[in-house]
């Protein structure tokens, strides 16, 4: 039972390059989330998927797209990377009971640097 | 989005002392309040949570209190140990019910 996994662990991009961050969970959770973490800023929600087939914007969605590929997988795409997107990206998943969220479990993170 | 304010941003205590971290939230629909601990270079991990129908919850040396009227909640760590040193984040559920708003974190240092 691996929990939430993310690939890659580290990535360096040049401005304008694109890439996709991958996330998978094996806990059969309905909901999945993408956060970015910057020094002194806490965790800020980029996008989330309440259930398979749905996605919604969070606090900082500009410059990102997401795909909920199936119940297990939720990917984050940077179409044209900018230095402001240098950050640590965390994926998380949780069970939802009715409209009540439960514990969010985090992946190990991807450290992205955009030059 | 709705704000979660967290104070203090840094906290230094001596081993054995208590530590208190406070958060306020603005969304009156928030009903779930977790606390996460993040060690350097690691992922955030849940240490305790509380729902809006409960005023206090305790788990060994850790307790959380919630005041819904005042819209604030606090984390209390008693008998602190060096291994408690980490960054602690509070969070509050958004009115969608699905996602969380996080505070900016408190860096706790416990010195022997």
């Amino acid at each position: 039972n691996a929990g939430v996994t993310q690939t890659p662990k580290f990535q360096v991009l040049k401005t304008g390059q694109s890439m996709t961050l991958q996330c998978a969970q094996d806990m059969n959770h309905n909901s999945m989330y993408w956060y970015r973490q910057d020094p002194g800023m806490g965790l800020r929600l980029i996008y989330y998927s309440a259930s398979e087939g749905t996605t919604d914007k969070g606090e900082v969605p500009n410059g990102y797209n997401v795909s909920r590929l199936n119940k297990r997988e939720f990917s984050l795409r940077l179409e044209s990377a900018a230095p402001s997107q240098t950050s640590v990206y965390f994926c998380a998943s949780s069970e939802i009971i009715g409209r009540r969220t439960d514990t969010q479990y985090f992946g190990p993170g991807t450290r992205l640097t955009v030059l | 989005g709705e704000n979660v304010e967290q104070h203090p941003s840094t906290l230094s205590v001596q081993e054995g002392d208590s530590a208190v971290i406070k958060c306020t939230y603005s969304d009156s629909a928030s009903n779930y309040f977790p606390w996460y601990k993040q060690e350097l270079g690691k992922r955030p991990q849940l240490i305790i949570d509380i729902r809006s129908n409960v005023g206090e919850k305790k788990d060994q040396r850790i307790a959380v209190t919630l005041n819904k009227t005042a819209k604030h909640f606090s984390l209390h760590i008693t008998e602190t140990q060096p291994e408690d040193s980490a960054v602690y984040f509070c969070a509050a559920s958004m009115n969608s019910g699905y996602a969380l708003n996080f505070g900016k974190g408190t860096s706790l240092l416990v010195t022997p």
Side-chain angles (χ1 to χ4, degrees), chain A residues 33 37 99 101 104 106-107, chain B residues 36 38 43 51 89 96 98:
Chain A
Y33 313 84
Q37 185 175 37
R99 284 179 62 84
T101 192
Q104 288 193 15
F106 284 81
Chain B
Y36 284 82
Q38 186 179 29
R43 72 190 79 188
R51 295 197 182 270
F89 293 97
S96 68
Y98 303 116

Side-chain angles (χ1 to χ4, degrees), chain A residues 11-15 19 21 35-39 41 44 46 64 78 80-89 110-115:
Chain A
Q11 184 71 48
V12 179
L13 293 177
K14 294 182 180 176
T15 297
M19 80 160 295
L21 281 64
Y35 294 92
R36 60 177 289 172
Q37 185 175 37
D38 303 293
M41 297 296 293
R44 292 185 292 170
I46 305 171
Y64 305 96
L78 287 70
S80 178
S84 60
Q85 293 179 304
T86 294
S87 190
V88 180
Y89 290 85
T110 295
R111 187 173 294 273
L112 176 67
T113 301
V114 183
L115 303 175

Side-chain angles (χ1 to χ4, degrees), chain A residues 4 31 33 35 37 40-43 45 48 50 59 90 96 98-104 106-108, chain B residues 1 31-32 36 38 41-44 46 49 51 89 93-104:
Chain A
V4 181
S31 296
Y33 313 84
Y35 294 92
Q37 185 175 37
M41 297 296 293
L43 292 149
L45 184 66
Y48 67 100
E59 182 185 354
F90 285 101
I96 299 290
R99 284 179 62 84
R100 213 180 75 154
T101 192
D102 207 347
T103 304
Q104 288 193 15
F106 284 81
Chain B
N31 57 18
Y32 175 63
Y36 284 82
Q38 186 179 29
K42 301 285 181 65
R43 72 190 79 188
L46 181 81
D49 57 9
R51 295 197 182 270
F89 293 97
S93 59
M94 295 183 187
N95 60 15
S96 68
Y98 303 116
L100 297 173
N101 271 316
F102 281 82
K104 293 185 178 180

Side-chain angles (χ1 to χ4, degrees), chain B residues 28-79:
Chain B
S28 56
S30 295
N31 57 18
Y32 175 63
F33 307 92
W35 286 88
Y36 284 82
K37 176 183 180 181
Q38 186 179 29
E39 296 175 349
L40 192 62
K42 301 285 181 65
R43 72 190 79 188
Q45 294 200 294
L46 181 81
I47 54 171
I48 195 166
D49 57 9
I50 192 167
R51 295 197 182 270
S52 58
N53 57 346
V54 175
E56 184 174 357
K57 185 176 178 181
K58 209 171 182 181
D59 183 2
Q60 299 183 351
R61 296 186 297 109
I62 294 172
V64 58
T65 59
L66 171 66
N67 183 327
K68 279 214 75 179
T69 304
K71 293 185 190 168
H72 66 71
F73 56 113
S74 300
L75 178 71
H76 304 252
I77 307 174
T78 58
E79 300 170 30

